[in-house]
Amino acid sequence: MSRPLGPDAGGTGTSANEGTSAASSPVNATSSGCVATAGLMTARDGVISAGPFKANRGLWRAEQGTKFWVETSVNQKPTAAVIRAQLLNSSTQSMVTRRGPDAIATPDGDPPGLFFPGNLRLPRHGTWQITVTIGKDSGCFRVHV
């Protein structure tokens, strides 16, 4: 299995970790600094990537959620991925999901870094800001549900 980051990714973030990292793709950030994901299959903010976005259209609110992977391209010791989702314009609608080191997928032939497959459910319509933290690195993505 190869990592699903493609040429349609955008990003702006930086890495606080040392190690091997892939070059960033062209910038596609909102005024908040988060990557706007409309029309993108995958997105990158610095060394943090996530997706799929375009394929999840209409599926975020499904009972079981939808497939949502996150990764860092920084080669580092296994750690957790923390996914925070905040409904914009709402002080009460937020959620945190943690994927521990036991969730790391290590397919043969993949480049260094940590890849966390899994599901994510966003319970309400609106624009969500999803912040992914892996080790010392973080990335921010905006998705409209």
Side-chain angles (χ1 to χ4, degrees):
M1 174 198 300
S2 64
R3 296 187 180 183
L5 186 61
D8 62 350
T12 61
T14 59
S15 170
N17 276 336
E18 294 180 16
T20 306
S21 65
S24 292
S25 299
V27 173
N28 187 24
T30 66
S31 61
S32 69
C34 292
V35 176
T37 62
L40 297 178
M41 183 60 75
T42 63
R44 177 187 299 265
D45 186 8
V47 298
I48 302 292
S49 302
F53 291 101
K54 190 175 180 180
N56 283 341
R57 187 185 224 168
L59 301 174
W60 292 101
R61 296 187 63 230
E63 186 173 324
Q64 72 281 2
T66 189
K67 177 171 54 170
F68 184 69
W69 56 264
V70 299
E71 78 168 327
T72 178
S73 59
V74 174
N75 190 14
Q76 59 186 285
K77 292 180 182 178
T79 187
V82 178
I83 303 165
R84 291 177 176 84
Q86 172 71 46
L87 179 62
L88 297 184
N89 301 318
S90 170
S91 60
T92 60
Q93 190 71 53
S94 65
M95 54 191 285
V96 177
T97 300
R98 183 180 183 280
R99 297 181 186 165
D102 59 329
I104 296 171
T106 54
D108 292 338
D110 275 351
L114 304 176
F115 180 78
F116 298 84
N119 286 347
L120 183 66
R121 180 178 188 277
L122 299 175
R124 291 185 53 198
H125 288 288
T127 301
W128 289 81
Q129 181 168 299
I130 300 172
T131 304
V132 177
T133 304
I134 302 172
K136 295 179 182 177
D137 301 313
S138 65
C140 182
F141 307 93
R142 290 262 176 105
V143 63
H144 187 73
V145 175

